[in-house]
Amino acid sequence: MMPRDVDGCGMRGFPRFGEKPNLNDTTRAARYMSPQFPRLVAHSLSPHSRSSYIPATMSARLALRALSRLPRLPRHSPQSTRQSRALSSKPDKSFRGQLYDSTARRVQAERAQTEARLLAGKATGARQSKSNGATLGGLFAAVFIALAFYNLGAKSVPTVPTSSTAPLSSIKPPSHNTSKANLEASWAEFVALLGQENVSTSAEELERHSDSDWSSFHNNDHQPFLILYPSNTEEVSAIAKICHSRKIPMTAFSGGTSLEGHFAPTRGGVCIDFRRMDKVLALHQEDLDVVVQPAVGWEQLNEDLEKVGLFFPPDPGPGAMIGGMVGTGCSGTNAARYGTMRDWVLSLTVVLADGTIIKTRQRPRKSSAGYDLTRLFIGSEGTLGLVTEATLKLTVKPQNESVAVTSFPTIKDAAETVGKVMSAGVPLAAIELLDDVQMHCINESGTTARTWKEAPTLFFKFTGTPSGVKEQIAQVKAIASKQGASAFEFATNAAERRDLWSARKEALWSVMALKRNVGDKVWTTDVAVPLSKLPQIIEETKKDIVNSGLLGAILGHVGDGNFHAILLFGQKEQAIAEGIVHRMVKRAIAMEGTVTGEHGVGLIKRDYLPEELGVEAVDTMRKLKLALDPLCLLNCDKVVRMEKRKEGEKTHT
C-alpha cells in the first residue's frame, strides 16, 4: 500500500493541501491528474483500510479533514453552466485551472457518495441498535424470570430433617387419595393383576375385614374399598406398587384373631388378605427350620411337624396364623420355657410400602451381619412392611409330656406359687393361671367335656424324659402344697392331657358364650410385670373388676409375668370397662411393667407408650415408620400416632 504523509494528509507524489502544484514536474502533474486520486482518498475512509503507519479510524478522520479543505464548487444555473462550458472550451483556459476544476469535481462527487454511504450506515446502525436493545431486554427478562422461579423452587423444596427423632408436632398429617375415581381405577389394575375372582367388594367380606366380636376396638366408621387375595410375594409387591403410585392405604390381614384393633382400616383403602398364601415352602429337617407363607396356622404346622418329630413352640390363641403372630410378636402358653415369637424367627421376606422386596437374613441359627431387621419387623403390626415369607426355627418334640391341674383358696395364693416355682428353677414347659370366674365361665359355656372346680386354678405342663418329668412334678407338688393347693390331678395319657389343657385354650370363647344381649361386647387386654409384682397386680385388678359389677375373668401366662383380663359389658357399661383397663395399665407401668405382654399395641394402647417408654422413644419409633413408609400407607394409625388427636376422638390415657 502507498505510504501516507500524515501531517499534510497528502501522499508522496502529490502536493500538500494549500500548496500549488509544481507544474514543472510532469511526473507529479500526471499523478495529480490520475483518476485514482479521489479513490485513494475515499479508500482512506473505508473501515477495511489498514496502514502500517496509521490505524483505520485515524485514517478515516484524516481523510475527512482533507476533503473538508477542498473548495466546494459553486452552484450554477443552467444558463451559467452553459456559459461555463463555453468558456471552458476557450483555448486560453490555463492548464492549472483545468486541472484544478477536474480534480475538484471528482473529489466532490466521491465525497457526496461517501457521505451518502455514511448516512446509510448510521440508519442501519440505529436499526441494529434498536434490535440489539430489544434482544438484550428479552434476555435480561428471561434471566430474571428464571432466577425468580429458581428461588421459588428452592424455597418450596423441604429441607431434609436433621433430627434423630420425629415428634408428632414436627410432621404433617398423612395425605392419601381415597377418592372414588382413584379407587375404581385401581380396581381395574388389581383385576388385571390377580383376576376378578381374587378381588372382592362383597359387603359381607368388607365387614369381616373391618371388625370382630373379640376385638377391643369396635370399628363402626371405616371399611376397606376392596379385599385383595394375592398368592405370592411378587403379586404382593405389584399391589404395593399400585397403591404407592396412587397413594392408597393398605391393611394386612391373615387370621383376624388379633385383639387390639390391629386390622381396623382407619384410612379405608384396600385390605390384603393372605389366605391364599398358606403353604409350607420348604422344610429343612436336618437344620431344624421351616419356610412358610403368612397364612399358615400354627396349629396345622405343628400337626405336620409332629410326623417328623419336630415342634414349633409359640402357641397363641386358636386360629392364629404366622403372619399375625409375627406382626404382634406373640407368645402363648409355652413362653415360660421357650420364649416368644421373636426367639423363633430366623428370617423374613418383606414387601415394603413402595413394593421393594427384601430378605432380612439367611438361614443360620445366629448372625452378627448388619442391623437386625428381622426383629425390627416382628411386633411392628404391619406398619413397616408386609411379611410374605417367614423362616422359623424348630425344636425336637419332647420325648415325654404331662399335664397337671390344681386349685387354690385365693388368686393371691395361686400367683405366689408361680413365683416360688420359677425361683426354684423347675424347668416347666408352661404354667397358666385361671381365676374362679374363668372356671365358672368354662363350666357354664360347656366348651369342654368336663366340669371344673370353680376356684383359682393353675395348669402345669411338664416335658422331658420320663424321669425328668417325674422329678418336676414332685418339686411342684411340694411348693404348691405349702400355698394351700388342693389335690393335683394328672393326665395319664394323651387324650386326658388334651382334655385338661383344653380349659386354658377355651377361655376367651367361654366368656363370649355368656353374652346377655346381642349388643354385648368383650374387651380382652393384657399387661406384664416383673414376677415379684405379679401377685399384687393380679389381686388389685381382681378387686377392681369385682367392685365394677361387670363379669370379668383373669387368666394368663404367669410363668413370664403376663396376664389377661376378659371383660363382658353392654353398651351402657363401656365407660366402666374402659376405666378397669385404664387402671390395670397404669398399675403395670407403675410396677415397671409393660402395657402389653403379647397382644400388641394396635389402636387401644398407643397413647400409653409415651408413659411407659418416654416421649423420645416413641418419637424414634415414628422416625423409623417415616423412614420405611414416608406416605404412611401401611396400617396407618397403629402403634404410634401419625397425626394429632382430633377433637372428640377417644384416648385411653
Side-chain angles (χ1 to χ4, degrees):
M1 179 177 291
M2 184 181 294
R4 301 176 183 176
D5 185 352
V6 177
D7 294 334
C9 298
M11 289 174 285
R12 291 180 183 178
F14 290 88
R16 296 176 182 271
F17 285 103
E19 293 182 354
K20 295 180 181 180
N22 187 356
L23 298 182
N24 295 325
D25 190 340
T26 56
T27 302
R28 289 192 178 187
R31 289 179 179 176
Y32 196 75
M33 289 295 294
S34 171
Q36 299 299 324
F37 173 73
R39 295 181 185 176
L40 291 172
V41 174
H43 176 73
S44 66
L45 298 175
S46 171
H48 301 291
S49 80
R50 296 290 184 267
S51 171
S52 58
Y53 299 93
I54 305 173
T57 52
M58 184 179 295
S59 176
R61 288 197 301 269
L62 295 176
L64 287 174
R65 189 188 308 168
L67 290 174
S68 65
R69 292 179 181 179
L70 291 175
R72 292 181 179 272
L73 294 175
R75 294 179 179 272
H76 300 288
S77 64
Q79 183 178 358
S80 62
T81 301
R82 285 192 299 269
Q83 293 175 352
S84 298
R85 288 175 180 173
L87 291 173
S88 64
S89 61
K90 292 182 179 181
D92 58 350
K93 179 73 174 178
S94 67
F95 174 78
R96 176 183 176 184
Q98 294 178 24
L99 177 63
Y100 190 86
D101 287 345
S102 174
T103 301
R105 281 194 298 271
R106 290 182 183 179
V107 172
Q108 189 72 20
E110 193 69 32
R111 179 179 181 180
Q113 292 176 5
T114 301
E115 288 179 348
R117 284 197 298 271
L118 290 174
L119 290 175
K122 287 182 180 181
T124 302
R127 287 193 298 270
Q128 290 177 346
S129 177
K130 184 176 181 181
S131 175
N132 291 340
T135 302
L136 287 174
L139 180 61
F140 281 124
V143 170
F144 176 79
I145 294 171
L147 289 173
F149 276 106
Y150 174 81
N151 187 45
L152 291 174
K155 289 182 177 179
S156 66
V157 175
T159 57
V160 177
T162 58
S163 62
S164 299
T165 61
L168 190 57
S169 60
S170 69
I171 66 172
K172 294 182 179 180
S175 178
H176 302 141
N177 185 356
T178 54
S179 65
K180 185 178 180 181
N182 191 45
L183 292 171
E184 288 178 348
S186 71
W187 177 87
E189 293 185 69
F190 293 136
V191 168
L193 173 66
L194 304 174
Q196 191 165 350
E197 68 278 9
N198 295 313
V199 179
S200 175
T201 56
S202 163
E204 183 179 350
E205 283 292 284
L206 295 179
E207 184 177 355
R208 186 173 74 85
H209 288 78
S210 304
D211 198 359
S212 68
D213 290 340
W214 50 86
S215 175
S216 303
F217 176 84
H218 296 288
N219 171 38
N220 299 317
D221 303 322
H222 305 286
Q223 285 189 349
F225 175 72
L226 49 79
I227 316 297
L228 303 172
Y229 302 97
S231 62
N232 54 53
T233 299
E234 289 69 28
E235 288 182 352
V236 176
S237 174
I239 290 170
K241 289 177 181 178
I242 293 171
C243 290
H244 189 266
S245 64
R246 293 184 174 276
K247 294 186 177 181
I248 298 175
M250 297 172 275
T251 305
F253 186 97
S254 53
T257 61
S258 56
L259 301 167
E260 303 287 354
H262 296 89
F263 60 85
T266 56
R267 303 280 174 161
V270 303
C271 177
I272 303 173
D273 188 327
F274 292 102
R275 73 181 185 188
R276 295 174 65 211
M277 299 178 66
D278 59 352
K279 299 175 180 62
V280 175
L281 300 178
L283 172 60
H284 306 108
Q285 189 172 341
E286 293 182 354
D287 297 327
L288 298 179
D289 68 61
V290 63
V291 182
V292 300
Q293 291 184 312
V296 171
W298 69 271
E299 295 159 299
Q300 183 62 51
L301 177 62
N302 272 327
E303 286 184 21
D304 296 339
L305 293 173
E306 188 176 10
K307 300 173 185 177
V308 293
L310 298 179
F311 169 54
F312 178 63
D315 61 334
M321 297 180 180
I322 298 300
M325 293 166 67
V326 170
T328 59
C330 76
S331 52
T333 64
N334 292 324
R337 171 73 174 273
Y338 294 101
T340 70
M341 192 70 180
R342 296 179 189 275
D343 302 307
W344 292 91
V345 180
L346 289 174
S347 174
L348 296 171
T349 298
V350 182
V351 174
L352 301 182
D354 64 353
T356 301
I357 302 171
I358 66 169
K359 189 171 182 178
T360 60
R361 280 272 191 256
Q362 297 281 15
R363 290 196 301 115
R365 304 290 277 193
K366 67 178 183 179
S367 172
S368 295
Y371 298 127
D372 192 347
L373 295 179
T374 304
R375 293 200 173 197
L376 175 64
F377 287 104
I378 298 173
S380 65
E381 303 182 12
T383 63
L384 303 181
L386 302 168
V387 175
T388 59
E389 293 179 17
T391 303
L392 309 174
K393 284 198 299 186
L394 304 176
T395 188
V396 177
K397 189 172 178 61
Q399 296 179 13
N400 194 38
E401 184 176 298
S402 184
V403 171
V405 177
T406 187
S407 58
F408 294 83
T410 68
I411 197 167
K412 184 178 181 182
D413 292 331
E416 288 178 346
T417 299
V418 173
K420 293 182 182 299
V421 169
M422 300 304 294
S423 299
V426 181
L428 294 174
I431 179 169
E432 298 290 305
L433 169 65
L434 280 68
D435 75 347
D436 56 326
V437 175
Q438 182 63 72
M439 301 308 293
H440 169 74
C441 292
I442 292 172
N443 286 336
E444 286 293 312
S445 65
T447 52
T448 64
R450 58 180 298 169
T451 301
W452 303 86
K453 184 178 180 179
E454 295 180 4
T457 304
L458 286 178
F459 291 72
F460 299 94
K461 184 185 290 185
F462 308 96
T463 59
T465 64
S467 59
V469 169
K470 287 181 181 179
E471 184 180 351
Q472 294 171 31
I473 291 173
Q475 288 177 288
V476 170
K477 282 182 69 175
I479 295 171
S481 296
K482 293 179 181 179
Q483 295 297 125
S486 61
F488 271 71
E489 185 175 359
F490 294 94
T492 58
N493 54 51
E496 289 184 3
R497 186 171 67 245
R498 286 191 296 268
D499 187 36
L500 284 177
W501 203 251
S502 65
R504 172 61 188 89
K505 287 300 183 182
E506 295 298 330
L508 173 60
W509 316 115
S510 66
V511 175
M512 292 180 62
L514 298 183
K515 287 183 178 182
R516 301 155 297 179
N517 302 300
V518 177
D520 284 355
K521 302 291 185 182
V522 172
W523 193 319
T524 305
T525 191
D526 82 313
V527 296
V529 295
L531 280 173
S532 62
K533 303 293 185 181
L534 187 65
Q536 178 186 348
I537 191 172
I538 287 180
E539 185 178 33
E540 291 178 2
T541 304
K542 177 72 174 176
K543 289 179 181 179
D544 199 2
I545 295 173
V546 171
N547 293 335
S548 72
L550 296 182
L551 176 65
I554 287 179
L555 66 153
H557 318 305
V558 287
D560 54 9
N562 179 209
F563 80 99
H564 309 257
I566 305 176
L567 307 175
L568 184 65
F569 62 95
Q571 186 175 358
K572 294 181 180 179
E573 299 168 320
Q574 182 168 341
I576 299 174
E578 288 179 357
I580 294 172
V581 173
H582 173 71
R583 290 186 291 274
M584 177 178 166
V585 171
K586 288 285 189 179
R587 289 188 201 102
I589 295 174
M591 295 178 183
E592 298 182 274
T594 178
V595 301
T596 175
E598 63 177 9
H599 288 179
V601 174
L603 288 167
I604 298 298
K605 293 183 175 177
R606 58 184 177 174
D607 292 325
Y608 291 109
L609 288 185
E611 188 172 350
E612 177 186 337
L613 304 174
V615 174
E616 293 78 10
V618 176
D619 291 345
T620 303
M621 294 181 185
R622 190 177 293 110
K623 187 80 169 184
L624 287 170
K625 165 69 172 175
L626 291 172
L628 292 174
D629 181 19
L631 298 179
C632 293
L633 300 177
L634 295 172
N635 211 14
C636 191
D637 302 315
K638 315 301 165 53
V639 184
V640 294
R641 284 188 178 272
M642 300 309 296
E643 65 177 312
K644 295 180 180 178
R645 185 166 63 91
K646 298 176 182 177
E647 186 177 352
E649 181 185 353
K650 281 190 176 183
T651 175
H652 297 283
T653 60

